[in-house]
């Protein structure tokens, strides 16, 4: 019997679309299969407790959504497939219609995640976090800045103070640039100082971390920083980029976090931001382990940690806890 069939605990909103995953050319370094594997793993992990979550299927973002943070020229070139060869190289992808559809859908997913979070208090996407996309250009596997579009939409919907907690191992340079002159959105980025992008932008608060940092030191810095920022910003909405590329096994990270460290990180951020009164919208961010099953499982900790925090907030015991 499912232990979560309880009228006092509404289901947690998880956002997914099968179109998040498209086929890429063989040997392409981006781990595109992680999106479908993540959904399969979550279905398996939640098999006995399917009623604990509410799967929400997003619609693609509209062109006007993209224009809220990207330049008209870039949106036109991206949607019509007329990006220069150099622009495509910088993106990390060769443009295709499938890539366009997938990218617009992922932005729609984060828009839906933020809307569901504002409605219910907490929601998690199974994609999103393309934080390197600049207003006028793609960069580093990031074609459209879903975090920027969704935060902008939240302002339009009446949110007065939003906080972006970007814990992907790479600096959230595109998002920092998009909101550089927007006082209603506070951008926080904890990242490996030695890592991509070589040219950093200025977030409202950047916390560059030394190469090789492990769980204890990382969590101490995060906890201290998050308390300061929550007290200063008093956000109504937090968008949490939970990139798992700070993991020791990640091929593009320079930090040494463990799976357990990441579970504690996801849980801490969601719990503290919810306790501070913010709606929390989570996106999965980067992760580049060549082992797709291990990588997708690592991303799935975000959804499990969110469900644990959600259930405890509703007086129910956690279902998962830390790994191991
Ligand atoms: Zn990253």
């Amino acid at each position: 019997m499912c232990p979560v069939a309880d009228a006092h605990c509404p289901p947690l909103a998880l956002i997914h679309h099968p179109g998040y995953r498209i086929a890429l050319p063989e040997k392409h370094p981006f781990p595109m299969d992680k999106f479908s594997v993540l959904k399969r793993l979550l279905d398996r992990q939640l098999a006995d407790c399917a009623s604990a979550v509410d799967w929400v299927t997003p619609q693609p973002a509209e062109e006007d959504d993209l224009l809220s943070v990207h330049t008209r020229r870039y949106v036109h070139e991206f949607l019509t497939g007329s990006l220069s060869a150099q622009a495509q190289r910088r993106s990390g992808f060769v443009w295709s219609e499938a890539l366009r559809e997938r990218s617009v859908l992922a932005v729609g997913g984060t828009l839906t995640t933020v809307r569901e979070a504002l409605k219910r208090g907490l929601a998690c996407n199974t994609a999103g976090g393309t934080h390197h996309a600049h207003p006028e250009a793609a960069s580093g596997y990031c074609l459209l800045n879903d975090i920027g579009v969704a935060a902008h939409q939240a302002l339009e919907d009446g949110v007065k103070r939003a906080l972006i907690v970007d814990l992907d191992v790479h600096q959230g340079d595109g998002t920092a640039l998009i909101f550089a002159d927007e006082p209603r959105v506070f951008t926080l980025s904890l990242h490996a100082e030695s890592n991509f992008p070589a040219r950093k932008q200025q977030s409202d608060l950047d916390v560059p971390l030394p190469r090789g940092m492990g769980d204890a030191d990382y969590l101490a810095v995060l906890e201290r920083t998050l308390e300061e920022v929550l007290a200063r910003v008093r956000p109504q909405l937090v968008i949490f980029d939970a990139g798992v590329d700070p993991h020791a096994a990640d091929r593009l990270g320079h930090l040494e976090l463990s799976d357990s460290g990441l579970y504690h990180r996801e849980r801490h951020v969601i719990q503290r931001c919810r306790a501070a009164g913010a709606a929390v919208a989570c996106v999965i961010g980067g992760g580049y382990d060549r082992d797709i099953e291990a990588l997708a499982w690592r991303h799935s900790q975000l959804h499990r940690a969110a469900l644990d925090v959600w259930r405890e907030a509703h007086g129910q015991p956690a279902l998962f806890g830390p790994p191991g």
Side-chain angles (χ1 to χ4, degrees):
M1 186 183 132
C2 177
V4 296
D6 188 301
H8 300 296
C9 190
L12 174 68
L14 301 183
I15 288 73
H16 181 77
H17 196 295
Y20 284 171
R21 184 256 175 210
I22 58 168
L24 286 179
E26 208 178 329
K27 303 234 166 97
H28 192 287
F30 185 81
M32 184 62 84
D33 289 343
K34 72 181 186 178
F35 303 103
S36 50
V37 176
L38 171 59
K39 175 65 164 62
R40 174 164 55 72
L41 285 179
L42 285 169
D43 281 340
R44 194 189 305 159
Q45 291 163 7
L46 295 163
D48 295 333
C49 312
S51 63
V53 298
D54 183 10
W55 288 102
V56 180
T57 306
Q59 297 291 316
E62 305 278 344
E63 186 171 348
D64 280 349
D65 297 323
L66 310 181
L67 288 168
S68 68
V69 303
H70 290 290
T71 63
R72 188 164 291 278
R73 177 177 172 177
Y74 175 62
V75 169
H76 174 77
E77 290 183 351
F78 178 70
L79 293 180
T80 58
S82 50
L83 291 169
S84 69
Q86 187 190 11
Q88 291 184 58
R89 263 198 306 280
R90 186 177 167 194
S91 81
F93 296 108
V94 173
W95 188 91
S96 68
E97 287 185 9
L99 186 69
R100 173 186 62 199
E101 300 308 308
R102 186 257 166 228
S103 303
V104 172
L105 193 52
V107 176
T110 300
L111 277 167
T112 299
T113 305
V114 166
R115 287 201 188 104
E116 292 295 329
L118 288 170
K119 207 160 42 177
R120 310 187 196 208
L122 177 61
C124 299
N125 200 358
T126 50
T130 39
H131 60 167
H132 298 310
H134 282 46
E136 78 299 345
S139 172
Y141 300 137
C142 298
L143 296 151
L144 299 168
N145 199 308
D146 62 312
I147 296 174
V149 171
H152 185 274
Q153 180 61 54
L155 299 182
E156 295 285 298
D157 290 344
V159 167
K160 292 186 170 50
R161 296 179 307 279
L163 167 64
I164 294 164
V165 176
D166 189 333
L167 301 186
D168 188 286
V169 82
H170 306 99
Q171 194 213 23
D173 57 336
T175 321
L177 203 54
I178 285 168
F179 294 117
D181 297 319
E182 174 50 82
R184 293 172 294 174
V185 178
F186 190 99
T187 51
L188 166 66
S189 178
L190 271 72
H191 51 266
E193 184 170 21
S194 57
N195 218 322
F196 179 92
R199 183 165 167 236
K200 309 281 192 287
Q201 300 296 327
Q202 192 172 352
S203 310
D204 289 298
L205 181 59
D206 285 302
V207 183
L209 304 169
R211 188 181 273 265
M213 186 179 247
D215 289 344
D217 290 342
Y218 180 95
L219 291 171
V221 172
L222 169 64
E223 287 169 20
R224 192 170 63 238
T225 306
L226 188 62
E227 291 314 305
E228 288 169 10
V229 169
L230 285 173
R232 182 167 151 195
V233 180
R234 294 179 295 112
Q236 296 163 296
L237 168 70
V238 171
I239 301 179
F240 173 27
D241 181 337
V244 296
D245 42 15
H247 192 273
D250 198 278
R251 64 190 171 83
L252 296 186
H254 292 171
L255 302 185
E256 299 286 334
L257 268 65
S258 69
D259 285 327
S260 172
L262 285 170
Y263 174 86
H264 286 290
R265 182 191 75 166
E266 326 309 26
R267 186 186 162 86
H268 180 79
V269 171
I270 296 166
Q271 200 276 328
R272 284 303 304 138
C273 294
R274 286 295 298 135
V280 180
C282 308
V283 297
I284 70 168
Y288 303 95
D289 197 321
R290 284 187 210 284
D291 182 337
I292 288 285
E293 292 286 330
L295 174 60
W297 184 88
R298 203 166 290 146
H299 280 300
S300 77
Q301 292 203 111
L302 171 67
H303 309 82
R304 293 201 301 280
L307 188 55
D308 284 348
V309 172
W310 180 252
R311 285 175 50 78
E312 287 175 359
H314 290 89
Q316 302 297 313
L319 284 175
F320 297 104

